[in-house]
């Protein structure tokens, strides 16, 4: 029997084996794709764009973020005449602290569920006109130029796709001599702080890089500090007067 005759006679079985292998690879790829989409959905629902009943309850209380809130309050040093903007307000827990001191506040979040939760958490201030909360993005703030004396943001900058645009917007909405306080996660956070599945979807920067974002946007007195841990950053800056 020639080699070609042997290959011809056994070809169907070989083809079935090849087809099974291809089907197996396609199925494995489909499983990976499903897992990736499921992971993305879970990250979105819990962190990047929180939604659902659990997220509304969790971010309205935000007990795990209280230490960060205190660090930002200490750095911002709010005054009674301040008009404050919080970018990425979550469930509105930080706003409650700010409104104990400042004249007025505004906030944005790109999650509709978080906007509703924040309004409920600060209902009295909203009803009295001291607080307005809207849906929006850091890269295109839905406010006029020079509206605020302070801009604060925490636990969200690592999800911003265009950091240069965001810093430009922070600068635009601040009045001359207005202050910026940004709390975020440093580059290369350890798995004990940020699980790998989440870290892969975050944008974290070195002190030099994030400081350059602020300086290039026109800010003065730019400083990057590490409150309590080298894995967190607080960026403070001032719009030139």
């Amino acid at each position: 029997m020639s080699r070609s005759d042997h290959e011809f006679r056994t070809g169907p079985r070989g083809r079935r084996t090849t087809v099974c292998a291809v089907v197996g690879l396609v199925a494995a790829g489909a499983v990976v794709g499903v897992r990736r989409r499921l992971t993305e959905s879970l990250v979105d629902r819990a962190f990047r764009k929180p939604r659902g009943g659990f997220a509304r309850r969790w971010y309205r209380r935000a007990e795990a973020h209280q230490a960060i809130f205190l660090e930002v309050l200490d750095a911002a040093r709010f005054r009674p005449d301040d008009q404050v903007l919080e970018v990425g307000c979550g469930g509105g827990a930080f706003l409650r602290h700010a409104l104990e001191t400042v004249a007025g506040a505004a906030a944005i979040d790109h999650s509709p569920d978080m906007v509703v939760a924040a309004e409920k958490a600060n209902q009295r201030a909203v009803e009295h006109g001291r607080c307005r909360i809207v849906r929006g993005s850091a890269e295109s703030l839905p406010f006029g130029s020079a509206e605020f004396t302070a801009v604060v943001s925490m636990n969200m900058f690592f999800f911003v796709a265009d950091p240069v645009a965001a810093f430009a917007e922070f600068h635009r909405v601040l009045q001359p001599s207005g202050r910026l306080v940004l709390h975020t996660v440093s580059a290369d956070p350890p798995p004990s702080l940020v699980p790998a599945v989440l870290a892969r979807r975050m944008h974290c920067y070195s002190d030099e890089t994030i400081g350059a974002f602020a300086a290039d946007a026109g800010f003065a007195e730019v400083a990057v500090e590490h409150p309590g841990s080298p894995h967190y950053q607080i960026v403070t800056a001032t719009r030139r007067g």
Side-chain angles (χ1 to χ4, degrees):
M1 184 184 297
S2 69
R3 176 180 175 86
S4 59
D5 288 341
H6 177 76
E7 289 178 344
F8 176 78
R9 291 179 183 179
T10 60
R13 182 177 180 182
R15 285 195 292 273
R16 285 196 297 272
T17 302
T18 301
V19 168
C20 289
V22 170
V23 169
L25 289 172
V26 170
V31 169
V32 170
V34 169
R35 287 177 177 172
R36 184 179 295 113
R37 289 192 296 272
L38 179 59
T39 299
E40 290 289 339
S41 177
L42 291 174
V43 169
D44 271 349
R45 291 183 66 90
F47 301 104
R48 193 158 50 200
K49 195 173 185 179
R51 59 189 182 273
F54 175 79
R56 287 193 296 271
R57 291 190 297 272
W58 173 264
Y59 285 100
R60 185 172 179 178
R61 295 174 63 87
E63 292 179 353
H65 297 160
Q66 294 300 317
I68 292 173
F69 294 166
L70 293 175
E71 289 165 355
V72 171
L73 287 168
D74 183 62
R77 300 192 180 281
F78 292 140
R79 302 185 296 259
D81 61 344
D82 270 330
Q83 294 290 335
V84 174
L85 170 63
E86 182 183 5
V87 181
C89 64
F94 180 83
L95 277 175
R96 291 200 305 270
H97 293 295
L99 286 164
E100 293 175 1
T101 301
V102 304
I108 69 155
D109 203 283
H110 70 167
S111 166
D113 280 20
M114 293 297 96
V115 170
V116 171
E119 287 180 334
K120 289 182 178 178
N122 298 278
Q123 184 174 352
R124 181 172 296 181
V126 171
E127 291 174 348
H128 291 177
R130 293 185 59 227
C131 182
R132 49 191 168 132
I133 304 165
V134 298
R135 186 180 179 188
S137 72
E139 297 100 322
S140 182
L141 296 173
F143 303 104
S145 298
E147 278 200 41
F148 303 99
T149 58
V151 171
V152 298
S153 183
M154 61 218 80
N155 301 317
M156 59 74 64
F157 193 74
F158 37 71
F159 287 136
V160 171
D162 189 342
V164 173
F167 269 99
E169 283 292 271
F170 298 161
H171 186 271
R172 180 185 66 82
V173 300
L174 275 171
Q175 297 176 10
S177 301
R179 298 106 62 206
L180 170 68
V181 179
L182 171 68
H183 195 297
T184 189
V185 175
S186 303
D188 302 317
S192 58
L193 178 66
V194 180
V197 68
L198 181 57
R200 287 193 295 270
R201 292 160 176 81
M202 293 169 57
H203 307 287
C204 300
Y205 305 99
S206 68
D207 292 357
E208 293 75 15
T209 298
I210 201 166
F213 289 152
D216 291 347
F219 282 100
E221 302 176 27
V222 178
V224 183
E225 299 179 346
H226 299 272
S229 166
H231 306 305
Y232 288 109
Q233 295 164 317
I234 280 191
V235 182
T236 56
T238 305
R239 178 169 177 170
R240 299 179 192 277

